[in-house]
Amino acid sequence: EDQVTQSPEALRLQEGESSSLNCSYTVSGLRGLFWYRQDPGKGPEFLFTLYSAGEEKEKERLKATLTKKESFLHITAPKPEDSATYLCAVQDNSGYSTLTFGKGTMLLVSP
Amino acid sequence: DGGITQSPKYLFRKEGQNVTLSCEQNLNHDAMYWYRQDPGQGLRLIYYSQIVNDFQKGDIAEGYSVSREKKESFPLTVTSAQKNPTAFYLCASTPPRRGNQPQHFGDGTRLSIL
């Protein structure tokens, strides 16, 4: 059974204070790891897909990295508008596979 | 603009009542999904459908039913058998079979008990 654990559950940062969110996963074989951003009362918004260990992707102040056991979402010099819940999900490579989501990390960036 | 439309945004259910949540997409996506999200919890899969007239149970299908009569539409019925229906319900879709494509989400329906 696929498992995803995200840490910390919540993170408060000052504007400009860089940090990282962690997503640890267990899958029989990884087809893809997905990062989403979710604002309160909204659906998740897709950020990145990572497919293999060593891969990195960037978008504005966000950078996602992947190892064989975990993924990190690095946030560089965050702004208040980066405040949201960040969700991680994995898809294994067994036939038609659905996503397994973690519980998310709630990020609050104060001005 | 292409996207996924969920309606209504808020829904209230009375005791013993069935309610239906709507999900429509104009992205020409084949697969569609329904998730339930509870506070502090991850998304849990209720049902999914890969093609019209076919669907599969997810991890928490009990007390729910779906239909897929059209490619664009995947309504979810929360039946009276679902004893704890209060949650945020999310619909998603993915493009035609190309492996590991990300799911695109609607903006959800919040269901509460009266």
Side-chain angles (χ1 to χ4, degrees):
Chain A
E1 183 182 334
D2 301 341
Q3 290 189 327
V4 178
T5 303
Q6 292 188 247
S7 62
E9 291 184 10
L11 180 62
R12 171 170 272 182
L13 299 173
Q14 290 294 121
E15 185 171 2
E17 180 186 1
S18 301
S19 187
S20 297
L21 312 182
N22 177 264
C23 172
S24 298
Y25 65 90
T26 305
V27 293
S28 52
L30 183 68
R31 177 172 287 170
L33 184 141
F34 303 83
W35 281 100
Y36 288 86
R37 170 195 170 122
Q38 186 177 23
D39 293 304
K42 299 285 189 180
E45 174 189 346
F46 170 70
L47 293 173
F48 305 109
T49 308
L50 301 167
Y51 299 105
S52 58
E55 189 174 1
E56 300 182 350
K57 288 194 176 173
E58 287 188 66
K59 179 180 180 178
E60 296 180 0
R61 295 176 293 282
L62 299 178
K63 179 180 177 180
T65 62
L66 181 66
T67 72
K68 290 187 177 180
K69 294 184 178 179
E70 57 192 350
S71 177
F72 291 94
L73 185 64
H74 306 278
I75 304 176
T76 302
K79 298 182 177 181
E81 53 261 43
D82 294 322
S83 298
T85 295
Y86 291 86
L87 300 172
C88 173
V90 297
Q91 183 182 31
D92 68 41
N93 55 16
S94 57
Y96 186 87
S97 176
T98 56
L99 297 185
T100 299
F101 281 84
K103 294 182 179 181
T105 293
M106 185 183 301
L107 174 66
L108 178 62
V109 182
S110 303
Chain B
D1 247 73
I4 300 174
T5 301
Q6 290 189 241
S7 62
K9 191 169 179 62
Y10 300 96
L11 187 58
F12 298 92
R13 194 189 90 168
K14 295 180 182 178
E15 198 72 37
Q17 185 182 43
N18 293 354
V19 292
T20 297
L21 285 60
S22 171
C23 177
E24 303 277 333
Q25 55 98 359
N26 60 3
L27 299 167
N28 197 33
H29 286 178
D30 285 340
M32 297 185 74
Y33 310 81
W34 274 106
Y35 292 92
R36 169 181 173 139
Q37 188 176 35
D38 295 282
Q41 299 294 315
L43 277 64
R44 291 185 290 168
L45 184 64
I46 304 173
Y47 268 98
Y48 65 101
S49 167
Q50 299 177 54
I51 56 173
V52 174
N53 293 323
D54 187 46
F55 47 82
Q56 287 78 38
K57 293 181 179 180
D59 300 320
I60 55 166
E62 186 173 349
Y64 301 96
S65 65
V66 293
S67 62
R68 187 87 187 276
E69 298 177 1
K70 299 187 299 182
K71 186 176 183 177
E72 302 79 18
S73 178
F74 191 40
L76 173 74
T77 296
V78 184
T79 75
S80 57
Q82 172 51 246
K83 298 306 178 188
N84 183 23
T86 297
F88 190 49
Y89 290 86
L90 288 160
C91 178
S93 68
T94 50
R97 295 171 188 248
R98 275 187 231 147
N100 43 13
Q101 294 295 307
Q103 294 182 10
H104 300 263
F105 286 84
D107 273 342
T109 292
R110 189 166 298 280
L111 176 62
S112 303
I113 298 179
L114 279 178

